[in-house]
Amino acid sequence: MRANGGFTEYASPPYTFIVLHEAERALFTLRPSPLREAVADIFRLCWDDLVAALHLPTGQLCGPLSLTYADTLQPGIVRDIEERLGAGLFHPANPADANNPLALSYPIPARPFPDDLRRPLLERPPETFTRRRYVVSATDPKRERTASRWFGDDACLGSANYENLWTQRRPLIGFWRVADTVAVLRASIRHDGDRDFCSGAMRIHQEG
């Protein structure tokens, strides 16, 4: 993962949390060993991946999202983040799949956020612009993925430099607070009425 620049499925709400929960379970059961150290590295990579995209004022993961089943975070995932972060996120009145929170439940205690990642997140300036490279390839530039993210007081917008339009991908997506709800801006290509054109792709250049 380090050689690749991070997770290939970067900023993926369901799958990052599957890996995170499994890492928590392994850290709870494994004795000190090189294997446990490797799992601890994966646990940290999960939170590093999420912190880079998490926008507390909207309670959402700023785009781009490599794989997700809904534009906004499911309530169960929001609760998982709050429990480990020790701080509250905004809970919109229009959550995604409220009756299907997509949260895993294991009989193990949650492990807290790594403190060196928690503090920068809670102390992030009101307006911030970041870039992060997720996928690195020395042989195929098309495989490389760089995320550009703008975080504001009550809105965020993020995009990938290049990404295909597979149904579960969100190469450009943003959120902003509207009273007690969250509005979504999402770029896509459609065909056959209202279906994602999965064979399509986008190149995006975001400056702020």
Side-chain angles (χ1 to χ4, degrees):
M1 286 184 290
R2 292 192 183 93
N4 187 56
F7 294 115
T8 301
E9 295 290 355
Y10 56 88
S12 170
Y15 291 107
T16 300
F17 268 92
I18 287 175
V19 175
L20 178 67
H21 285 137
E22 292 298 335
E24 285 183 327
R25 183 161 62 169
L27 291 171
F28 185 72
T29 57
L30 288 172
R31 295 179 177 179
S33 64
L35 175 59
R36 194 179 192 281
E37 292 174 8
V39 172
D41 287 344
I42 293 173
F43 174 79
R44 179 184 170 78
L45 279 172
C46 288
W47 280 124
D48 184 58
D49 183 59
L50 291 166
V51 165
L54 188 59
H55 185 238
L56 300 180
T58 58
Q60 304 301 319
L61 289 185
C62 183
L65 307 177
S66 67
L67 197 156
T68 185
Y69 295 105
D71 291 337
T72 57
L73 288 181
Q74 291 87 349
I77 290 179
V78 173
R79 288 193 296 270
D80 274 357
I81 294 173
E82 289 179 322
E83 181 181 11
R84 291 155 176 81
L85 179 62
L89 278 70
F90 175 67
H91 286 249
N94 56 334
D97 302 328
N99 296 322
N100 181 24
L102 198 67
L104 303 178
S105 178
Y106 293 121
I108 57 172
R111 297 182 68 86
F113 241 74
D115 190 56
D116 62 323
L117 297 177
R118 180 180 185 274
R119 282 181 284 114
L121 172 64
L122 297 179
E123 297 170 5
R124 180 187 286 158
E127 185 162 340
T128 306
F129 181 71
T130 67
R131 292 194 198 278
R132 170 172 287 210
R133 180 170 290 183
Y134 282 102
V135 182
V136 178
S137 175
T139 58
D140 185 2
K142 281 190 175 182
R143 289 192 66 248
E144 295 193 354
R145 297 290 184 271
T146 299
S148 300
R149 295 185 173 105
W150 171 78
F151 300 94
D153 279 335
D154 58 1
C156 61
L157 176 68
S159 63
N161 63 317
Y162 174 82
E163 190 56 271
N164 64 59
L165 293 169
W166 179 248
T167 303
Q168 296 163 349
R169 300 202 191 284
R170 304 291 190 270
L172 189 154
I173 190 167
F175 307 92
W176 68 96
R177 292 267 295 270
V178 180
D180 62 347
T181 66
V182 167
V184 180
L185 169 68
R186 174 188 170 195
S188 64
I189 298 176
R190 318 295 275 182
H191 77 120
D192 291 344
D194 193 33
R195 298 184 180 181
D196 287 303
F197 184 48
C198 297
S199 298
M202 288 184 177
R203 290 190 183 276
I204 303 166
H205 182 73
Q206 180 179 340
E207 288 290 346

